[in-house]
Amino acid sequence: MGQKANPIGNRLGIIRGWESNWYGSKRDYSGKLIEDNKIRSYLNARINKGGISKIVIERTLGKLIITIHTSKPGIIIGKGGGEVDRIKEELKKLTGKEDVQINILEIRRPELDANIVGDTIARQIENRINYKRAIKMAIASSLRMGAEGIKVKVSGRLGGAEIARTEEIKQGRVPLHTYRMDIDYANVFALTVYGKIGIKVWICKGEVLGKRELNPNFVGGKSDLSDRRERREDDRHERHDRRGGGDRRGGGDRRGGGSGDRRGGGDRRGGGGGGDRRGGGDRRH
């Protein structure tokens, strides 16, 4: 049963927020919902290679705020912000609203975003790269960036085979039933010459134990992953301090003093000991 429910929908209101934030009455709810779908479809088609992860839509009285989460903000912004202005004008025509605002948020670690990982695999499959190689490269880069686990499922005429099949590659842990586990999910298509290939990606980013800000645009707080990394670094520094640079190792006192007394061999070697033992001129002669 754990395979049937969408991991994002499952975690809404627990550790994830909604990507559309507005209130709709019975009268205008359906209109707003269709408009949201139009905006997302249009932007995904318009910014084809912009590395879009998600589009968050917020509505206030007469105002439409669209936030695009992307790994390549330079492509969307364009030269001197010209591209954003063009997109804004096109969205005004599409929605029929005068007040449209576009915000662009950069994704710092695209290897931990399921949509971007899935899109990367899809583009590689479209360019006739072996699907297994593309998946393994994506998995390796995600785990290198600190993911706890990743699962990728591809389905269709893999490698141009006559009969369609499904294959799954998994590494690490992806516990879908644990609601406090932050799991990102995406479903992407690769349009190849021999048909459509579906790609599903699950990325486990670790447990969320504290209270999480549910606003999907919230960037101010650091992710649990970066917190964990910082904690590890702090522990390392503490251990280093305990071993202790100056006091224990910094051995002016031990080496300098001690060795001088032990080795400093005027007393032992050079002293009477040697002279008395060896100096056995009396015995040999």
Side-chain angles (χ1 to χ4, degrees):
M1 286 305 293
Q3 309 301 316
K4 304 291 178 288
N6 187 315
I8 291 172
N10 243 355
R11 286 161 178 77
L12 280 179
I14 302 167
I15 59 165
R16 270 190 89 109
W18 286 260
E19 286 177 19
S20 289
N21 290 327
W22 42 264
Y23 173 76
S25 60
K26 281 184 183 177
R27 215 177 36 245
D28 59 356
Y29 181 85
S30 57
K32 284 179 178 176
L33 193 66
I34 291 164
E35 197 177 86
D36 275 11
N37 192 36
K38 271 186 192 171
I39 290 167
R40 288 200 174 94
S41 304
Y42 171 74
L43 285 173
N44 281 316
R46 172 80 166 74
I47 312 161
N48 192 15
K49 291 174 183 172
I52 291 177
S53 163
K54 62 182 172 184
I55 295 162
V56 179
I57 298 169
E58 294 169 278
R59 295 170 193 267
T60 54
L61 284 169
K63 192 175 187 180
L64 184 64
I65 303 163
I66 298 165
T67 308
I68 302 170
H69 292 246
T70 172
S71 59
K72 299 170 186 171
I75 292 172
I76 300 170
I77 294 165
K79 220 173 189 179
E83 192 66 24
V84 173
D85 297 334
R86 274 196 288 277
I87 291 169
K88 193 186 281 187
E89 290 305 316
E90 288 160 12
L91 284 173
K92 280 180 185 176
K93 281 181 191 171
L94 182 76
T95 57
K97 289 185 173 59
E98 280 303 308
D99 199 354
V100 175
Q101 184 185 325
I102 295 178
N103 301 325
I104 292 162
L105 285 180
E106 186 185 357
I107 293 168
R108 299 281 177 194
R109 288 194 294 243
E111 294 88 354
L112 294 178
D113 192 285
N115 264 303
I116 294 171
V117 170
D119 202 49
T120 308
I121 295 169
R123 296 295 82 78
Q124 286 178 313
I125 290 173
E126 283 172 3
N127 294 330
R128 298 178 181 242
I129 289 172
N130 182 11
Y131 72 96
K132 273 188 182 172
R133 189 181 167 204
I135 291 168
K136 280 175 182 172
M137 279 162 63
I139 287 174
S141 61
S142 290
L143 292 173
R144 207 182 306 122
M145 287 305 289
E148 282 198 11
I150 176 170
K151 181 166 78 169
V152 180
K153 201 173 196 175
V154 284
S155 181
R157 289 182 61 187
L158 302 173
E162 284 292 315
I163 298 170
R165 66 183 191 277
T166 302
E167 282 204 23
E168 185 182 293
I169 298 175
K170 182 183 171 186
Q171 222 168 314
R173 66 197 200 107
V174 186
L176 297 175
H177 284 97
T178 310
Y179 280 2
R180 65 172 177 266
M181 200 60 85
D182 187 5
I183 291 174
D184 199 9
Y185 168 76
N187 188 1
V188 189
F189 297 104
L191 299 168
T192 63
V193 180
Y194 39 82
K196 221 178 205 183
I197 287 179
I199 301 154
K200 287 181 178 180
V201 181
W202 293 260
I203 296 177
C204 174
K205 301 179 191 175
E207 274 183 294
V208 178
L209 296 170
K211 193 175 185 302
R212 172 170 274 193
E213 177 65 51
L214 293 182
N215 180 3
N217 293 331
F218 185 71
V219 182
K222 291 174 183 174
S223 68
D224 303 324
L225 219 67
S226 59
D227 288 346
R228 242 179 268 141
R229 277 187 180 171
E230 278 176 20
R231 267 182 242 140
R232 276 185 219 143
E233 280 172 24
D234 291 343
D235 291 344
R236 267 184 227 140
H237 290 313
E238 271 175 36
R239 276 184 232 132
H240 182 70
D241 293 340
R242 275 181 215 147
R243 286 180 200 153
D247 305 333
R248 290 196 178 177
R249 290 187 197 162
D253 306 334
R254 282 197 178 182
R255 291 182 196 162
S259 58
D261 299 338
R262 286 182 192 168
R263 291 184 196 161
D267 306 333
R268 285 198 180 177
R269 292 182 196 163
D276 300 339
R277 285 186 192 166
R278 288 186 196 162
D282 308 332
R283 288 187 187 173
R284 285 184 196 163
H285 292 295

